[in-house]
Structure formats: C-alpha cells, structure tokens
Amino acid sequence: MTIDQSLVAKITAEVIARVQESKSDTAGNSGIFATIEEAVKAARTAYNQLKKLSIAQREELIQAMRQVARDHAEELAEMAVTESGMGRVADKIIKHRLVADKTPGTEGLRTEAWTGDRGLTLLEMGPYGVIGSITPTTNPCATVLCNAIGMIAAGNAVVFSPHPTAKNTSLLTIKLLNEAIIKAGGPANLLTAVAEPSLKATNAMMSHPGINMLVATGGPGVVKAVMSSGKKAIGAGAGNPPAVVDETADIEKAARDIIAGCSFDNNLPCIAEKEVIVVGCVADKLMSYMQRYGAYLISGQDIDRLAKVILTEKEELAASGCTEKPKRSYAVNKKFVGKDAKYILSQIGINVPDSVKVVICEAAADHPFVLEELMMPVLPVVQVKDIDAAIELAVKVEHGNRHTAIMHSKNVDNLTRLAKAIETTIFVKNAPSFAGIGVGGEGFTTFTIAGPTGEGLTSARSFTRQRRCVLVDGFSIV
Ligand code: NAD
C-alpha cells in the first residue's frame, strides 16, 4: 500500500488537534485528565456506574467499541505509524479490524455450578474493579482497543498508561472509545489516561491504592515492575520466536509463510518470526525460496556493517574487577525498530526495490541477531545438522520467555517434540506466526499474550476474579 505523505500529514494534524481539544475538555468526558489522581477517581466513578448495567447493556458497549475499531482502522493506523515512526499502515489496519472482529466479549464469561443434595453453588466471574493497563509503542491502538474490549466486557474500568512515544495515537483511541461508550448508553470515563504519559505517571498509577489490578504489555522492565508491585498483575512480556524448518517441510510454503510473518508490521509483533533454524540439507532451498518471496540476502562484511548500524555494543567489566576480559553485550538500536527493510539496507549503502520486505543472512547460533529481539525485518538463518540440534537451539534462543515458536514440518513426532520442549504460550505449525492470533488461523485474538504470569492469550475472563455463591438445601431440581 502506498501512502500519500501529504494526506498522512493532514490526517495527523487533524487528529492531534482533536487530542488537544480532548485535553482541554472541561466536561471531563474524553477520559483524558491532568493527573493520575483524577484519572483513577473518574475511572472508579465509571466502574460503579457500569456495575448498575446489565450484561446485555455491557455487550452493547462492546459492540460500539468494535465499531470504533472498524470505523477508525485506517486513521489510527496512519497516525500510529507517523507518530511512532514504526510499522506498516496496511498491517496495522489488519490488526485493528482483527481486534474488532475477534476479541472476545462478554460471551467468554462462563459461570460454573455444582448442584446436589445440599443445594446449589455458583462460581461466577466478577470484575476486578479499576485496572491499570500499561501499553506498548509497538501496537499502540491495537492493544488499547483489545484490552479495552476485554476489560470492559469483564465489567472493569481502565486507567491506561500508554507509551509516551505513541501518546497522541493512544489518547485519541481512548477518546474515540469513550465517545462511543457514552453514545451506547454507558458511563463517561470508563477508560482514562493522563494527558502527558510518562514513566513517573506510570509509577504513580501502579502504586495508587485505587488500582485493583495491573496489566503490563511490553518488555521485561515493565513486566518485572508490575510483578513486583504487590498487586494482582498480568505480565505480557517480550518474545524471541524461532521458526524451525525440518527436512520434511514443504520448503516453498515454509519460506513464503516465514517471510509473511516476519515482515508483518515490519516485525513489530512480539509473536513474529525473529530467527530461522533450519536443518542443513534444506537450508539452500529455503533461502532461495525466501528470496523469491521478498527477502534480500546479505553476506560477509555487509552483515558486520549492518550489525554496527542496528545494534549498539556495550563492554561490561566482569564483577570481579578489571583483570578479566570485558564481556560484550548488545542492545538494539531503537532508531531501526519497525523500519522498512529497504530503509535499513539503505543505511549500509544497498538500494533495493519496495518489494524487498525482509533482510536475511546466514548467522552463527550465538550471533546477536539471533539472540536479541530485533523487532525489525532482519532475519538471521542458522543451519543445524538435524532436528535434535534444531530443537536444542530453538529452546536456547527463545530464552525461556515461553512466548511463541513456529515450526514447518510434516513429521508429527518432530512437531510434538519441539512443542513439548519449548513450552511456549503459542506454537504455530506450518503457517505464518500471525495464525497464532487468529489471522488465517482458528481462535480468538488478543494483543496481550501473558507468558510470564500464565494467563496465555488474554480475554475478558483473564480480567475477572472468581466469586462463589452458595445456597444450601434448595434450587437443585433433580
Ligand atoms: P517497553 O517495555 O519499552 O514499553 C512498554 C510500556 O511499559 C510503555 O508504556 C512504557 O512506558 C512502560 N514501561 C517501560 N519500562 C517501564 C518500567 N520500568 N516501569 C514502568 N513502566 C515501564 O516496550 P515497547 O518498546 O513499547 O514494546 C515492545 C516490547 O513489548 C517487546 O519486548 C515486545 O515483545 C513486547 N510486547 C509484548 C506483547 C505481549 O503480548 N506479550 C505485546 C506487545 C509487545
């Protein structure tokens, strides 16, 4: 999809004006407040009002929120790419439509019951209250839209802490959702945030006594922060998904699927293929098909030059002092996260057509491209001698995140062995990674995948607390 830059600039100027307008909204219905104190207080009032609505009325709010995701899919996608400088508009539009159609609503809240000689006992899923939801820059609108639907479906209000680099996009999404909720008969300020999101504001939100539950969607720092908060926390953290290819796979399809998954939104999704591990005898064929489907192969010094651009190197002295050799470690240069392959290659003097979607290179198993979560369309390919070595390496480079893994194979035993060994929340077989969140695969979607705390693919039921209600000696009819 080509984007007219002047149109993007015009739309962005308009939406920023609308966000500014909402910041000075004295009626206080936009959900945007000056302080965390006000944001939490307004969300608490909204929560108490939501409790008075029936589940059917709550579902009407959810339908209205889905419509926001549909109606503003393009506008929010363009704004997110312009503001954050990351990702691809066409793919973000797909994400917004996916959230609208496949995020579970109130239907996911199921009551359990026990009946018998001593009567009836119910186990119902009730809301937590006011949830603090911290959202990433990589999926600013999709995460807000998806969490808002699931959290409100469960009966909660939400105080969002968006990433400051996607501030305007996130705040506009919140404002649009609030407007739709009010129009559908719901309370004002069911979703709130502060006008100037910052780490300080997030910390104030996390420690505020009015926040009942925390949900962090982001890297290891924020997941650790919510898990150390002393509150009920859901942590949806980083991944480094390997795509394993064995000699039984349909190699052409594997290549096509890997490029599709890796290049989706310029590799921003936490589930996207971050490295390929291929059994040696089919490696050349795989890489040749990858080039047919939009990859550009670099080798030799070009790999070193690219590493100097997209990584920053740190030398850490060993804890025992200066006598030992400094340990090297690498960090991803954030300037290149979510950028187009064409732009990344241009930094090392290689000019390619727009059809190039991914940069591939052969790499050793311990290369930083393999070990770091790059979040850009640069895909290292590691050759191994057999499936045993492939499984061992995939487990190692996934770093115990237990997030996502992908495998291309027709051997059920091999597929099962990797799935068991790697213990990821999502395991995709013979498809692009995005099939794992419902794009071209069965099942609901989410943009908060909670590996560290174990909720898995979150939905309304993840944002509930269980409550038991017991009636003795009655209401059992058998
Ligand atoms: P990030 O961790 O830099 O930021 C995420 C959010 O946390 C932001 O709102 C940020 O302001 C806040 N934050 C960061 N460190 C914090 C701290 N110490 N205390 C309090 N708040 C803090 O991540 P990002 O660059 O926005 O997003 C990319 C990362 O998120 C990747 O690692 C990706 O894998 C992960 N991610 C995971 C999921 C999932 O569902 N598991 C979804 C999207 C992104």
Side-chain angles (χ1 to χ4, degrees):
M1 179 178 175
T2 51
I3 314 158
D4 177 343
Q5 289 306 320
S6 62
L7 180 66
V8 173
K10 189 168 161 262
I11 292 172
T12 306
E14 270 173 34
V15 282
I16 289 175
R18 281 162 65 184
V19 174
Q20 296 300 347
E21 193 187 304
S22 71
K23 284 181 192 169
S24 56
D25 171 12
T26 46
N29 284 344
S30 65
I32 316 300
F33 293 87
T35 65
I36 283 290
E37 192 58 45
E38 291 169 296
V40 175
K41 195 171 161 214
R44 175 65 54 185
T45 304
Y47 167 64
N48 288 328
Q49 290 166 353
L50 183 65
K51 280 206 286 193
K52 294 182 189 139
L53 301 190
S54 66
I55 293 178
Q57 284 170 313
R58 211 191 282 170
E59 190 52 38
E60 282 174 25
L61 310 186
I62 301 302
Q63 294 308 327
M65 294 163 75
R66 293 188 195 285
Q67 203 52 44
V68 168
R70 285 185 199 108
D71 291 347
H72 298 272
E74 289 92 351
E75 174 191 8
L76 291 174
E78 277 165 11
M79 191 177 177
V81 172
T82 309
E83 187 183 22
S84 69
M86 299 175 189
R88 300 173 81 93
V89 172
D91 295 338
K92 287 199 191 290
I93 293 172
I94 293 172
K95 286 183 181 180
H96 299 159
R97 293 188 179 141
L98 175 71
V99 168
D101 296 340
K102 289 191 120 180
T103 305
T106 56
E107 73 283 1
L109 306 174
R110 281 195 216 106
T111 300
E112 282 180 52
W114 294 265
T115 61
D117 294 343
R118 299 312 308 266
L120 167 71
T121 293
L122 297 176
L123 189 68
E124 291 191 308
M125 299 176 127
Y128 252 88
V130 179
I131 298 180
S133 172
I134 306 162
T135 56
T137 185
T138 47
N139 292 323
C141 315
T143 313
V144 169
L145 292 164
C146 181
N147 282 2
I149 290 175
M151 290 171 183
I152 292 179
N156 305 284
V158 193
V159 178
F160 279 106
S161 266
H163 197 292
T165 61
K167 172 180 82 173
N168 290 320
T169 316
S170 310
L171 296 186
L172 179 65
T173 310
I174 292 167
K175 178 181 181 304
L176 293 169
L177 287 170
N178 275 323
E179 284 171 359
I181 289 168
I182 295 168
K183 224 165 146 194
N189 301 318
L190 214 37
L191 307 169
T192 69
V194 292
E196 294 302 333
S198 64
L199 207 55
K200 196 171 157 214
T202 303
N203 285 328
M205 185 275 280
M206 288 196 295
S207 59
H208 195 290
I211 296 289
N212 302 107
M213 177 195 214
L214 290 167
V215 178
T217 314
V222 68
V223 168
K224 191 170 169 211
V226 296
M227 287 174 76
S228 328
S229 67
K231 295 187 178 181
K232 161 74 184 182
I234 293 182
N240 194 36
V244 172
V245 184
D246 78 7
E247 65 279 15
T248 70
D250 176 338
I251 301 298
E252 179 173 1
K253 181 179 183 303
R256 198 173 58 224
D257 287 354
I258 290 169
I259 296 302
C262 172
S263 63
F264 187 75
D265 208 13
N266 280 344
N267 201 250
L268 288 179
C270 50
I271 57 163
E273 291 81 350
K274 298 286 187 288
E275 60 279 334
V276 173
I277 299 169
V278 57
V279 172
C281 58
V282 288
D284 286 348
K285 195 171 165 191
L286 181 76
M287 287 173 70
S288 140
Y289 275 124
M290 284 166 108
Q291 289 171 78
R292 181 183 295 181
Y293 289 106
Y296 185 89
L297 176 69
I298 60 166
S299 56
Q301 289 187 342
D302 283 340
I303 300 176
D304 300 335
R305 289 164 60 218
L306 184 65
K308 286 204 171 73
V309 170
I310 64 171
L311 298 173
T312 53
E313 194 178 333
K314 293 182 279 186
E315 283 199 345
E316 287 168 1
L317 288 180
S320 58
C322 303
T323 49
E324 285 177 37
K325 232 176 125 190
K327 228 174 58 186
R328 276 194 198 163
S329 69
Y330 298 89
V332 174
N333 184 345
K334 294 216 159 141
K335 246 175 74 184
F336 296 97
V337 168
K339 290 287 192 284
D340 292 344
K342 180 184 166 93
Y343 174 77
I344 293 170
L345 283 171
S346 74
Q347 304 299 303
I348 56 167
I350 297 176
N351 295 311
V352 294
D354 289 345
S355 56
V356 169
K357 291 185 277 185
V358 175
V359 184
I360 58 169
C361 62
E362 273 193 61
D366 59 353
H367 193 280
F369 286 1
V370 178
L371 300 177
E372 297 295 324
E373 187 195 25
L374 296 179
M375 288 192 293
M376 61 186 81
V378 173
L379 187 65
V381 180
V382 184
Q383 291 192 36
V384 289
K385 67 175 190 317
D386 55 23
I387 186 63
D388 296 339
I391 291 173
E392 191 182 329
L393 182 60
V395 170
K396 187 170 166 221
V397 302
E398 209 273 328
H399 302 307
N401 293 322
R402 302 205 284 183
H403 195 298
T404 298
I406 304 101
M407 184 161 174
H408 297 270
S409 171
K410 286 185 184 153
N411 183 318
V412 175
D413 292 342
N414 288 352
L415 288 162
T416 309
R417 278 179 62 202
L418 177 60
K420 283 193 176 196
I422 203 158
E423 295 185 330
T424 46
T425 306
I426 298 178
F427 189 75
V428 177
K429 299 168 188 159
N430 298 325
S433 52
F434 45 66
I437 55 164
V439 183
E442 293 299 330
F444 68 88
T445 202
T446 183
F447 281 83
T448 294
I449 299 153
T453 48
E455 290 77 8
L457 285 88
T458 57
S459 64
R461 59 193 302 140
S462 317
F463 310 120
T464 58
R465 46 191 286 266
Q466 296 192 354
R467 299 179 58 194
R468 179 182 276 210
C469 182
V470 183
L471 179 85
V472 174
D473 293 344
F475 278 93
S476 175
I477 57 166
V478 287

